[in-house]
Amino acid sequence: MSSTTGKPSDRGGDRPWQSYHTAYTNAKAGMEGVDKEKVQRVIYEMSKGSKYFENEQKKEAITKLKIEHLRAQCAKLTDNDITHFQKVAERKILELEAERDLSKIWLHTDMDAFYAAVETLENPSLKGKPLAVGSMSMIATASYEARKFGVRAAMPGFIGCKLCPNLVFVRPNFERYTHYSELARKVFQRYDPNFFATSLDEAYLDITAVCVERGITGEEVASELRGAVHQETGLTCSAGVAPNRMIAKVCSDINKPNGQFILPNDRDAVTTFVSTLPIRKIGGIGKVTEQMLHQVLGISTCQEILQKAAFLCALFSEGSTDFFLSVGLGLGGTETPEHRLRKSMSCERTFSATDNSSLLFEKLDNLAENLADDMQKECLKGRTLTLKLKTAAFEVRTRAATAQNYISSKEDILIYAKKLLKAELPLSLRLMGLRMSHFHGEKDDSTSPTQKTLDRFFHSSDNNSNTNRTNGASFGNASGGNDYCNEATTKDDCSIHDAGKNVSVDQQASFSHNEKLSVPGGTSSINHDNKPGSSNTKATETEKFGELASCKASGSSSKPDEHFWIDGYICSLCGFELPQCFEEERQEHSDFHLAEMLQKEDTVDSTARLSKERLAERPCSTMPTPKKKLKSSKEGKHIPINSFFPKCNKKV
């Protein structure tokens, strides 16, 4: 098997920076001629000893464990196994090839160094200078003049200054960027009314209809669109045209800035194009996946994916294998994505690390105000609020609470956000964020979960008779799904528990408090409340990776409503796959299932109570209790007042 696997690069002791992999590579457009080793050395020297450096080392250790686990699995494959998986791969390739669609023409447009270009347009004196939009803490965008030195987005400003001593900094102005983005989108709409933007400066357009109706080529549309954008905004953009969205995005990056690349709608042209394409150029293949594919199987290009298809089928899940093989074949999305209802809304802010509680609560107040404004603009109300924290040591934590009803105002958001933050203090933080999910979607909720009828109030006395009460709030049990506070309870009475403390079952039913463990590397998260056996937190990372192979089998025996990630990236409830590096998306996916579960429990709980009420009423109407028995004093016992409720209901 040694011949089929890749080998890690030489990491001599005299060049320790070669083993220090960060996101600051030269993959960005305009950085092709940069001395990558020099940039890597500078980043290593300036990061060494910092909390960020320590966190990156932990992430690298986790990646090594994954790679070693895959190598061990690969070494166990016999010749019969490889023959079997080769047949599986060939069948998959045939199935995928049959789905190839060459009838659509997709255009991906990307504004050139958007933020920096806008600032230069507003201030012509900046033209030709190495410019960075951001601060010494973080760079949002770098001009092409700055990229020649290795400066890029998502890089700390002090490292940018080390690489480029003459770097000029400009503070971001998002209102200005939004204005220019809207001008560009008006142009996009002329060519595709259903275009969809992935950010302020990127968009996908289906130009098939335009090409057919006007009898022009994709190349002519791209040139015309770029000229119109420049005329309307004064800015330049680059474009890529291809049969699907995946390749169109790659094409738009080839001739940047202010250029375009056209790939014909021809199978041979597509397969030839992707054959030599580095896998890192493909959206969805990041730093960790690239290392795994290269160091385990020696895969660096898309063509090599097809050559090692059998090993991919043996080592990865079906969904991941299908994705890799689609990349190798040059297949991507061709249909316009359907409009999906928003699942969550969030905002976050990065700042200098501080443990000043007053300053942290001030930043939390600003976040709540921004989130409330954004939600009210779209007429949204939500129930699940998640607080994201990044410590000074770059560990990421999330805390979540579910409100009794749907909220959208700043005041209501702060009620829960403050309690979540107070439970974590004292703590030094460098980032905070708020996310609202489990939306209702209407301005007024006439069926508020806290709105109880008199009949429901009476019958709930039996359900809650044995439950604990905290701060005067009455909670239902977990099986009943009654997770709402008593009417007489104020919002402040609903306490928020910590995942590390012992809490009653009724509190767990009322508030979902998911703790994302900061596994070294920050890319892997474990939900204590969701994953089976999560109470045992002493398992080593090696043991966890050793259990990956048996994770699917154990997952099948778990509770049907229990959510966890099989193999670390497959949703146990719906089979949806999200790699561990997609922290935001994974948390939103978990929130979605939480909301789905709460709604299901509400429905089941209401139906069960209604059925119970009807069954309780039937015997009363056919076999009424004799008055003599009620009036009998021979028993010598008082009749509980609760026994009169069914009779009162009957009269009503």
Side-chain angles (χ1 to χ4, degrees):
M1 292 304 302
S2 60
S3 61
T4 62
T5 59
K7 295 182 180 180
S9 59
D10 181 26
R11 297 177 179 180
D14 57 333
R15 295 185 177 183
W17 56 83
Q18 290 186 340
S19 63
Y20 184 54
H21 299 281
T22 69
Y24 316 131
T25 65
N26 60 351
K28 292 284 288 184
M31 300 178 67
E32 292 78 9
V34 174
D35 185 345
K36 184 178 179 179
E37 184 174 350
K38 176 184 176 182
V39 173
Q40 197 172 15
R41 183 175 68 251
V42 170
I43 295 172
Y44 172 83
E45 292 173 350
M46 299 200 67
S47 303
K48 185 171 55 178
S50 66
K51 295 294 183 180
Y52 173 82
F53 183 85
E54 294 175 2
N55 193 55
E56 287 295 309
Q57 285 186 316
K58 292 177 182 178
K59 290 162 66 175
E60 186 71 17
I62 294 297
T63 302
K64 288 180 181 178
L65 285 174
K66 294 179 181 179
I67 291 173
E68 291 304 319
H69 171 72
L70 287 176
R71 282 178 174 167
Q73 294 296 106
C74 192
K76 294 178 182 178
L77 295 176
T78 64
D79 292 340
N80 290 336
D81 292 332
I82 296 175
T83 301
H84 165 71
F85 285 112
Q86 182 64 40
K87 294 179 180 178
V88 173
E90 290 173 355
R91 185 175 68 251
K92 283 181 174 291
I93 290 174
L94 289 176
E95 293 173 353
L96 291 170
E97 184 63 47
E99 298 176 358
R100 186 184 296 275
D101 183 5
L102 297 172
S103 64
K104 298 294 183 67
I105 305 176
W106 278 94
L107 183 149
H108 178 264
T109 177
D110 187 4
M111 304 297 290
D112 300 321
F114 184 49
Y115 297 171
V118 170
E119 296 297 340
T120 302
L121 185 65
E122 293 287 332
N123 183 4
S125 64
L126 297 173
K127 188 174 182 179
K129 297 181 179 179
L131 176 66
V133 177
S135 64
M136 296 297 288
S137 298
M138 190 60 61
I139 296 174
T141 301
S143 66
Y144 284 92
E145 290 79 7
R147 295 183 190 185
K148 294 177 182 179
F149 294 88
V151 181
R152 57 159 293 166
M155 174 181 285
F158 63 88
I159 293 181
C161 288
K162 181 69 174 180
L163 294 171
C164 178
N166 297 324
L167 190 63
V168 179
F169 283 90
V170 177
R171 286 284 178 179
N173 187 331
F174 288 99
E175 291 184 1
R176 183 179 295 167
Y177 308 147
T178 303
H179 168 71
Y180 281 95
S181 177
E182 290 298 326
L183 293 178
R185 291 179 181 183
K186 290 180 180 178
V187 176
F188 302 158
Q189 203 163 22
R190 302 176 195 169
Y191 298 89
D192 180 12
N194 298 317
F195 82 92
F196 64 99
T198 55
S199 64
L200 287 176
D201 61 337
E202 286 188 61
Y204 289 91
L205 293 81
D206 182 356
I207 59 173
T208 309
V210 173
C211 292
V212 173
E213 292 172 2
R214 297 176 53 185
I216 57 179
T217 64
E219 182 176 5
E220 292 173 317
V221 172
S223 299
E224 188 177 297
L225 180 141
R226 290 174 45 241
V229 169
H230 184 266
Q231 184 177 357
E232 292 292 331
T233 65
L235 305 172
T236 63
C237 69
S238 298
V241 177
N244 59 65
R245 294 192 299 275
M246 182 192 76
I247 304 179
K249 180 174 174 60
V250 176
C251 291
S252 67
D253 197 59
I254 292 178
N255 289 323
K256 272 184 152 300
N258 195 22
Q260 62 188 48
F261 184 88
I262 314 299
L263 186 64
N265 283 37
D266 178 76
R267 181 188 179 280
D268 291 338
V270 171
T271 54
T272 302
F273 175 77
V274 300
S275 62
T276 58
L277 197 66
I279 57 176
R280 187 62 182 275
K281 290 287 186 180
I282 303 297
I285 298 181
K287 179 183 69 173
V288 174
T289 305
E290 180 189 33
Q291 289 183 34
M292 291 170 63
L293 292 178
H294 177 63
Q295 296 189 29
V296 176
L297 299 175
I299 296 175
S300 298
T301 64
C302 295
Q303 186 178 35
E304 292 170 341
I305 288 179
L306 298 180
Q307 296 172 354
K308 302 295 177 63
F311 295 99
L312 292 173
C313 290
L315 299 177
F316 294 91
S317 69
E318 183 177 0
S320 297
T321 303
D322 288 347
F323 169 71
F324 291 138
L325 295 181
S326 296
V327 169
L329 293 170
L331 301 175
T334 57
E335 298 298 327
T336 301
E338 296 180 1
H339 176 72
R340 296 181 296 176
L341 294 177
R342 181 185 283 274
K343 293 293 189 297
S344 67
M345 181 176 286
S346 62
C347 60
E348 62 181 44
R349 294 291 182 271
T350 302
F351 43 86
S352 300
T354 178
D355 58 359
N356 188 322
S357 59
S358 299
L359 181 59
L360 293 176
F361 279 108
E362 181 181 341
K363 294 184 180 298
L364 187 68
D365 186 274
N366 294 333
L367 285 171
E369 183 176 1
N370 292 338
L371 180 59
D373 290 343
D374 292 342
M375 290 178 61
Q376 290 169 11
K377 286 178 182 178
E378 298 192 23
C379 301
L380 294 173
K381 290 185 177 183
R383 282 190 61 201
T384 302
L385 180 70
T386 302
L387 174 68
K388 177 182 177 181
L389 305 172
K390 181 180 286 187
T391 68
F394 291 87
E395 297 176 353
V396 178
R397 306 178 184 178
T398 58
R399 302 290 185 266
T402 299
Q404 304 93 326
N405 52 12
Y406 295 93
I407 60 176
S408 63
S409 68
K410 171 187 173 182
E411 293 73 20
D412 288 338
I413 292 174
L414 278 176
I415 287 174
Y416 299 98
K418 285 182 177 179
K419 289 183 179 180
L420 291 172
L421 180 58
K422 284 180 181 178
E424 302 303 314
L425 297 179
L427 190 66
S428 180
L429 300 175
R430 57 176 288 107
L431 177 146
M432 276 201 301
L434 286 175
R435 178 175 64 251
M436 184 67 74
S437 56
H438 188 181
F439 290 132
H440 183 269
E442 295 181 2
K443 294 182 180 180
D444 299 316
D445 184 9
S446 58
T447 59
S448 173
T450 57
Q451 187 69 30
K452 295 184 178 181
T453 62
L454 183 61
D455 182 66
R456 179 181 176 186
F457 180 80
F458 283 158
H459 284 275
S460 65
S461 60
D462 293 333
N463 297 334
N464 297 330
S465 59
N466 295 324
T467 57
N468 298 328
R469 285 171 170 78
T470 305
N471 295 333
S474 177
F475 298 90
N477 57 41
S479 60
N482 183 13
D483 60 343
Y484 311 121
C485 294
N486 187 292
E487 292 180 313
T489 308
T490 62
K491 292 176 182 176
D492 290 333
D493 291 330
C494 297
S495 61
I496 300 191
H497 67 270
D498 182 87
K501 300 178 181 178
N502 293 326
V503 294
S504 59
V505 175
D506 56 323
Q507 286 175 309
Q508 293 180 23
S510 177
F511 286 94
S512 169
H513 190 175
N514 300 329
E515 178 177 4
K516 184 179 287 184
L517 284 181
S518 182
V519 177
T523 60
S524 177
S525 60
I526 304 173
N527 289 336
H528 275 282
D529 295 337
N530 296 334
K531 188 169 182 178
S534 60
S535 59
N536 182 12
T537 59
K538 296 182 179 180
T540 64
E541 291 300 329
T542 305
E543 292 172 337
K544 292 177 184 177
F545 286 115
E547 295 170 356
L548 283 176
S550 60
C551 192
K552 292 182 180 179
S554 62
S556 60
S557 61
S558 61
K559 297 179 180 179
D561 293 336
E562 204 163 17
H563 173 257
F564 59 97
W565 297 99
I566 301 174
D567 289 349
Y569 56 88
I570 304 174
C571 177
S572 62
L573 296 182
C574 66
F576 191 78
E577 297 186 6
L578 274 174
Q580 294 175 347
C581 56
F582 290 87
E583 295 183 12
E584 294 286 344
E585 291 81 356
R586 284 165 67 97
Q587 189 59 46
E588 291 175 5
H589 192 77
S590 299
D591 290 345
F592 168 75
H593 282 305
L594 171 64
E596 194 174 48
M597 179 192 69
L598 292 174
Q599 291 173 343
K600 180 180 178 181
E601 288 181 350
D602 292 345
T603 304
V604 173
D605 187 46
S606 300
T607 305
R609 276 197 294 268
L610 183 59
S611 300
K612 183 178 179 181
E613 293 167 11
R614 290 175 177 174
L615 290 173
E617 290 176 357
R618 285 178 183 176
C620 292
S621 59
T622 57
M623 298 177 63
T625 304
K627 292 183 179 180
K628 291 182 179 180
K629 186 174 181 180
L630 291 175
K631 292 182 178 180
S632 175
S633 60
K634 294 181 180 180
E635 298 178 0
K637 295 182 180 180
H638 293 288
I639 300 174
I641 191 171
N642 286 346
S643 65
F644 288 94
F645 288 155
K647 186 174 182 180
C648 295
N649 291 336
K650 176 187 173 185
K651 291 181 180 181
V652 174

